[in-house]
Amino acid sequence: MTDERRTDYGPPHYERFLPPIIKENYGKWKYHEVLKPGVMVHVSESGAHLYSVRAASSRLLSIEKIRAYCDLADKYCGGYLRFTSRHNVEFLLSDAKNIDPLIADLKKLGHPVGGLQNSISAIVHTQGWIHCHSAATDASGVVKAVMDDLLEYFTEMKLPGKLRIALACCLNMCGAVHCSDIAILGIHRRPPRVDHENLHKMCEIPNVSASCPTAAIRPAMVGGKQSVEVLEERCMFCANCFTVCPSMPLADPLNDGVSIWVGGKVSNARHEPMFSKLAIPFLPNNPPRWPEVTEAIRNLVELWAKNARKYERMGEWIERIGWPKFFRMSGIEFRKEHIDDFKHAGLTFKRSTHLTF
Amino acid sequence: MAKTVAEIADAMYKLVKDATGQKKLKATDLTKAMVELYGDEVDKQLCKDAIKELMNSGKCVYTYFGGSFIELPHREGAAND
Amino acid sequence: MAESLPKTPMLDELEKGGWPSFVKEIKLAAKKSPMAVDLLGLLERSYKEKIGHWKHGGIVGVMGYGGGVIGRYNDLPEVYPNISHFHTIRVNQPAGWFYKSDALRSICDIWEKRGSSLTNMHGSTGDIILLGTRTEQLEPIFAELSKVDFDLGGSGSDVRTPSCCCGMARCEWACYDTMRTCYDFTMKFQDELHRPAFPYKFKFKFSGCPNDCVASIARADMSIIGTWRDSIQMDKAAVTEYAKNGMDIQSEVVDNCPAKCMDWDGKELHIENSYCRRCMHCINVMPKALRPGKDRGATILLGSKAPIVEGALLSSVLIPFIKMEPPYKELTDIIDRIWELWCEEGKNRERVGEFIQRVGLGNFLEAIEVDPVPEMVAHPRENPYVFYEEYFEAGDEGSEEEEK
């Protein structure tokens, strides 16, 4: 017998990575203030002050960049740093004098500081064409193009409230975009092209049929081989069949693209959490800068910024003014695709005379 | 008489082998089958231990196709050499 | 070892602009990694063709684990041989995503030697994502990660790597110790995390307060969200200070209260706490003056998920209030009963939320031995179609007939 294989040991204990000021004041924080864009101070019952500096990152990071972050953490804050749930990097300082030199170094490195309070934080996103087999659009490229355009809203705090953008490159939504102020969602629009030659070798046919939420897939003999047929008029392009069977690809350059959703939120502050709703059914994939998408998103951000009340999230604002007014103000054409026809669709119909004109 | 981990692991291996090419089995399928086969002689923990043994021995592997399955080791369709 | 970079005019465009550029990151990695060089070429091709070039592998992993590795192969291996295999490794992040530089450097060193040099900090699951390596590197990588105490995360039909907000480490609103709870749950459920035994995935996300910074209510099968039962703590002098410094307390705070449980007479703020919905708005706006109460714990909600397969769901209330203290026995007992039921009756790819939709919340609660309470619903049913399971025959004990 060789050494027993080590398994099931879990992640390293977080206490190893907490700076002394946090260990000393764990659970004792009293209040916090945002001092300027990207910089906040947490004040403890003990009087201790902890300064956090938040910088944007591209989520996709080379080890060279991580090492550069480490060097900055060593230089300014004893080697301690953290990442946020939206892929930003945060440096945890106990000396206020280090804030401005750190910000200057981060800028030199190409990482703007911001994303706090009434700003647009980094876009939660997925892998896209960099790594995903089911992507209907790229992720990193769209995010880069959109945030290049919206950079001022990350580095300044001039919006009425928070605005959270997320991108998922297909309906699997690895990035949970379904509750975002603005969601960018990659979509397919062509039913799967069945690989009849190989399907029987790769997949279990009953599983493939069962995977379809609309029962559009039936077993069939094609060219003497066991395979499946797709009732195309029933396909809603969810790609669930492709997830269980690689012989059902949906990706298609002519028909894949992006849809835009608005008005979701996760926080319980004021209004309860809400799903995002469809604003723009389809925009084309137009790499490298997706101009149609960046323009649509800037228009939505600015429309909300101009009209929302202080603290009002996108969804709260739209709920106050009503969806008809949202469509009139945004100039987005309301179409058949906007009307729900999946489960419980009737609950989304307007069932009153509360209308604006 | 309670079954041993090795006995259950063997019985599970046979199930997986027989199902190969017909149906992919999940961990729960194996556990349910053992309970059906051996009744009170097995419990869930024993089945868990047997699956762990089956995996650690390399006789079976976990696979993923829109859900996790337990299969015999094989070269997968998508693989590049 | 560096190869000359392929021509990438479209990607080069994305080196411009003020937001950090992922293309620059790939090029940084490409100075040393032939995998990153080929990735540039392949991605440029995807940009031209408007389609991805990856195949999903379903079998690669490390011995004994069913989670933590996502298999990937490109569909043009002759053209891009260095990324013919490009598997992802999910590494379980430390709670709250806190690091010390030496630990991060140790991961970088492993990844420089055995992978593409590219990562995500972090993936949507919360894990450290090591992006792209070959099958034969998986075991050595796991062995080396093990030496620096990093274990793999979850993938497939298992407990996914739990994640949490920074909680008490850096937030005055944390109503329970999210990082400790996240760590404790991760350790308690190691077997369920590494050896997929469920109908489909199960995610835990721990948020310290109803602001829900880890989007628990939208993304976790079990959402554990901090709250309090007693009154909001108020520092009256600090309220006055906010007013003096120009905050319009009526419009910014009182008018935004969803419960309309506050009033402001220009001098004093009054909160009728028995109507407070614990939404956090007033506390968010006046952090120096208002704080969550002292009797703190969590609300447990169940069932959220993205649309695939049966439509998106938000989590809904299972336990309105519970104290979150080790060993969390009341909660873990309920979790055991949920898993037992779901494993017994759930279908392949059916998340807990979808399972509840299918069998009915009432039946689900009965099976896991939790009593129904009004906090679980937005409102009672609007239709009269109740599935009564029993009825009386004349003469039955307890029937009206017999009572006469």
Side-chain angles (χ1 to χ4, degrees):
Chain A
M1 277 291 278
T2 51
D3 290 347
E4 184 81 352
R5 185 184 172 83
R6 190 177 175 219
T7 65
D8 299 68
Y9 48 94
H13 197 283
Y14 54 88
E15 270 182 11
R16 282 172 53 181
F17 305 133
L18 300 180
I21 184 175
I22 286 185
K23 275 193 190 157
E24 286 153 21
N25 296 284
Y26 198 91
K28 294 185 202 151
W29 300 106
K30 199 172 165 197
Y31 67 88
H32 76 277
E33 282 181 291
V34 174
L35 300 176
K36 57 181 175 180
V39 182
M40 58 182 162
V41 60
H42 284 78
V43 180
S44 163
E45 308 274 7
S46 74
H49 285 54
L50 170 69
Y51 302 93
S52 301
V53 176
R54 177 179 291 183
S57 114
S58 50
R59 188 180 93 122
L60 191 146
L61 291 175
S62 65
I63 55 169
E64 302 302 332
K65 183 58 63 62
I66 297 174
R67 286 168 175 157
Y69 287 162
C70 289
D71 292 343
L72 289 180
D74 287 345
K75 185 170 167 191
Y76 292 112
C77 43
Y80 295 99
L81 71 164
R82 72 178 291 266
F83 293 85
T84 73
S85 58
R86 305 192 79 85
H87 320 307
N88 299 299
V89 60
E90 282 181 348
F91 295 86
L92 306 157
L93 283 61
S94 33
D95 189 346
K97 284 202 301 287
N98 282 333
I99 295 173
D100 288 333
L102 169 62
I103 291 175
D105 277 357
L106 281 164
K107 279 191 181 147
K108 253 186 271 165
L109 206 58
H111 291 254
V113 166
L116 287 171
Q117 226 168 42
N118 295 341
S119 65
I120 298 179
S121 189
I123 299 182
V124 164
H125 61 282
T126 55
Q127 302 290 16
W129 292 331
I130 280 184
H131 200 251
C132 187
H133 65 298
S134 64
T137 185
D138 189 35
S140 313
V142 185
V143 165
K144 166 72 175 149
V146 169
M147 285 312 289
D148 274 346
D149 189 48
L150 297 178
L151 187 60
E152 61 190 293
Y153 297 110
F154 179 85
T155 55
E156 298 170 53
M157 299 185 291
K158 57 185 180 182
L159 293 168
K162 290 183 191 303
L163 189 102
R164 296 284 176 256
I165 309 179
L167 179 147
C169 52
C170 81
L171 272 57
N172 277 316
M173 288 194 192
C174 297
V177 306
H178 55 302
C179 293
S180 307
D181 294 286
I182 300 178
I184 308 166
L185 176 65
I187 55 167
H188 302 295
R189 295 187 305 170
R190 189 195 165 101
R193 279 181 236 249
V194 184
D195 175 6
H196 298 295
E197 197 58 37
N198 293 304
L199 187 135
H200 69 286
K201 285 184 269 175
M202 309 271 287
C203 319
E204 286 168 13
I205 286 165
N207 262 355
V208 184
S209 305
S211 72
C212 181
T214 63
I217 302 175
R218 294 194 302 214
M221 289 292 281
V222 182
K225 294 209 163 79
Q226 286 196 317
S227 186
V228 297
E229 63 178 4
V230 178
L231 306 176
E232 293 199 343
E233 68 280 8
R234 274 203 209 164
C235 180
M236 55 182 187
F237 317 102
C238 73
N240 199 42
C241 56
F242 178 64
T243 304
V244 303
C245 175
S247 303
M248 308 281 290
L250 283 87
D252 178 74
L254 283 178
N255 294 286
D256 289 352
V258 160
S259 55
I260 308 286
W261 305 68
V262 295
K265 74 195 274 283
V266 162
S267 151
N268 282 272
R270 301 169 307 281
H271 196 290
E272 291 182 331
M274 291 187 269
F275 286 126
S276 312
K277 280 100 179 159
L278 181 61
I280 304 175
F282 183 81
L283 293 170
N285 274 329
N286 199 353
R289 285 215 167 257
W290 279 266
E292 295 85 355
V293 177
T294 56
E295 191 195 345
I297 288 175
R298 174 166 278 270
N299 289 342
L300 286 166
V301 169
E302 290 184 341
L303 186 68
W304 163 76
K306 200 169 138 216
N307 292 285
R309 292 177 182 161
K310 198 167 179 185
Y311 305 117
E312 211 169 37
R313 298 277 294 260
M314 178 77 80
E316 294 171 299
W317 167 63
I318 298 174
E319 197 167 289
R320 175 165 62 78
I321 65 167
W323 285 95
K325 200 165 169 81
F326 167 79
F327 279 97
R328 289 198 293 272
M329 288 171 83
S330 65
I332 296 169
E333 185 196 356
F334 187 82
R335 300 155 47 140
K336 181 184 166 196
E337 289 84 353
H338 286 100
I339 302 175
D340 194 353
D341 49 13
F342 196 53
K343 289 179 189 176
H344 315 301
L347 297 173
T348 68
F349 300 166
K350 185 70 174 174
R351 296 175 295 172
S352 81
T353 59
H354 287 210
L355 299 170
T356 57
F357 295 102
Chain B
M1 258 264 293
K3 294 279 169 194
T4 64
V5 172
E7 283 174 307
I8 298 302
D10 282 346
M12 285 178 168
Y13 176 74
K14 190 173 179 310
L15 269 182
V16 173
K17 205 174 150 202
D18 292 347
T20 298
Q22 312 292 316
K23 184 174 171 15
K24 289 188 208 301
L25 300 174
K26 297 181 77 85
T28 47
D29 298 327
L30 296 181
T31 303
K32 282 180 193 167
M34 291 302 113
V35 171
E36 200 162 295
L37 216 55
Y38 300 115
D40 290 347
E41 294 173 80
V42 294
D43 61 22
K44 291 221 163 111
Q45 188 56 48
L46 186 67
C47 292
K48 258 189 179 182
D49 294 343
I51 290 172
K52 198 168 168 179
E53 167 124 348
L54 210 51
M55 294 301 156
N56 290 344
S57 71
K59 286 168 81 179
C60 288
V61 291
Y62 286 108
T63 62
Y64 180 84
F65 276 103
S68 298
F69 299 92
I70 293 176
E71 298 184 62
L72 301 184
H74 60 276
R75 188 185 181 279
E76 63 180 321
N80 298 331
D81 290 322
Chain C
M1 154 135 180
E3 300 177 22
S4 63
L5 297 186
K7 285 212 163 38
T8 54
M10 291 181 103
L11 293 178
D12 294 351
E13 170 60 30
L14 293 174
E15 289 188 80
K16 302 171 193 159
W19 191 254
S21 166
F22 71 101
V23 176
K24 283 186 184 167
E25 295 298 318
I26 305 177
K27 288 192 176 178
L28 269 176
K31 284 184 186 169
K32 290 182 188 165
S33 162
M35 296 184 96
V37 174
D38 269 4
L39 182 65
L40 278 171
L42 182 72
L43 191 60
E44 179 74 12
R45 185 177 190 128
S46 282
Y47 271 50
K48 275 191 211 131
E49 297 175 354
K50 303 184 187 183
I51 195 162
H53 283 285
W54 297 103
K55 295 186 286 180
H56 189 301
I59 196 162
V60 293
V62 302
M63 169 87 92
Y65 280 10
V69 179
I70 320 292
R72 280 287 180 279
Y73 302 93
N74 89 53
D75 62 8
L76 299 160
E78 317 77 35
V79 192
Y80 306 99
N82 294 314
I83 50 172
S84 147
H85 300 198
F86 204 63
H87 312 317
T88 310
I89 301 179
R90 289 186 182 160
V91 179
N92 196 329
Q93 79 286 4
W97 298 293
F98 284 88
Y99 294 94
K100 194 151 190 264
S101 51
D102 54 351
L104 276 179
R105 286 199 181 95
S106 66
I107 292 177
C108 291
D109 294 346
I110 296 169
W111 199 232
E112 175 163 17
K113 193 163 71 178
R114 302 198 176 275
S116 70
S117 294
L118 291 167
T119 73
N120 293 142
M121 302 296 282
H122 294 78
S124 299
T125 53
D127 296 278
I128 302 165
I129 301 295
L130 302 180
L131 202 61
T133 192
R134 294 188 58 83
T135 305
E136 63 273 15
Q137 292 291 354
L138 295 172
E139 285 293 338
I141 288 167
F142 180 49
E144 287 176 21
L145 284 171
S146 169
K147 280 191 196 134
V148 293
D149 293 331
F150 280 91
D151 200 347
L152 301 193
S155 66
S157 307
D158 61 8
V159 166
R160 296 302 183 84
T161 310
S163 73
C164 65
C165 69
C166 63
M168 291 182 171
R170 201 201 52 195
C171 186
E172 65 272 26
W173 298 328
C175 292
Y176 69 97
D177 191 343
T178 52
M179 299 205 329
R180 177 172 183 174
T181 316
C182 183
Y183 180 77
D184 288 348
F185 274 57
T186 307
M187 297 312 285
K188 182 175 170 59
F189 298 126
Q190 279 292 295
D191 185 54
E192 289 80 0
L193 193 156
H194 296 304
R195 295 174 194 85
F198 295 152
Y200 202 23
K201 64 185 94 168
F202 192 95
K203 299 182 178 178
F204 289 105
K205 290 192 190 289
F206 302 88
S207 280
C209 84
N211 283 323
D212 197 3
C213 287
V214 290
S216 168
I217 204 163
R219 309 177 57 192
D221 295 276
M222 182 168 276
S223 318
I224 295 145
I225 302 179
T227 190
W228 65 96
R229 273 190 297 202
D230 56 347
S231 298
I232 291 175
Q233 303 181 67
M234 193 191 310
D235 178 340
K236 289 191 175 171
V239 175
T240 312
E241 194 65 20
Y242 274 111
K244 223 167 69 187
N245 291 338
M247 180 179 283
D248 182 341
I249 292 185
Q250 182 64 39
S251 74
E252 290 192 36
V253 182
V254 175
D255 292 349
N256 274 315
C257 172
K260 305 287 170 239
C261 71
M262 318 181 94
D263 55 53
W264 167 249
D265 61 7
K267 283 185 197 133
E268 208 166 307
L269 182 67
H270 174 74
I271 305 176
E272 184 48 56
N273 276 282
S274 68
Y275 291 99
C276 170
R277 296 182 188 173
R278 279 76 184 162
C279 89
M280 291 298 292
H281 175 76
C282 61
I283 297 174
N284 290 344
V285 174
M286 298 196 289
K288 283 180 168 175
L290 302 176
R291 307 172 73 186
K294 290 177 176 166
D295 182 12
R296 299 177 177 190
T299 299
I300 312 294
L301 305 95
L302 202 61
S304 74
K305 57 180 287 296
I308 302 294
V309 184
E310 297 285 336
L313 295 169
L314 287 163
S315 284
S316 67
V317 173
L318 178 69
I319 306 173
F321 185 89
I322 190 168
K323 285 284 185 184
M324 289 301 291
E325 284 151 12
Y328 325 97
K329 187 159 185 332
E330 187 187 343
L331 183 55
T332 56
D333 282 352
I334 290 175
I335 292 167
D336 284 344
R337 296 201 291 274
I338 291 171
W339 285 351
E340 184 156 347
L341 175 70
W342 176 50
C343 284
E344 194 62 37
E345 296 181 20
K347 297 195 270 195
N348 185 31
R349 282 175 73 70
E350 186 174 52
R351 299 277 289 270
V352 159
E354 288 164 314
F355 175 70
I356 294 172
Q357 299 279 314
R358 177 162 66 84
V359 302
L361 179 60
N363 293 332
F364 176 81
L365 292 171
E366 213 163 62
I368 63 163
E369 299 165 45
V370 171
D371 290 331
V373 290
E375 284 83 356
M376 293 171 176
V377 295
H379 56 74
R381 71 163 70 229
E382 291 172 328
N383 64 66
Y385 304 131
V386 179
F387 288 97
Y388 286 108
E389 285 154 21
E390 289 172 21
Y391 51 84
F392 292 115
E393 297 285 6
D396 281 354
E397 193 180 333
S399 72
E400 277 182 35
E401 181 92 355
E402 196 224 30
E403 274 163 20
K404 278 179 218 161

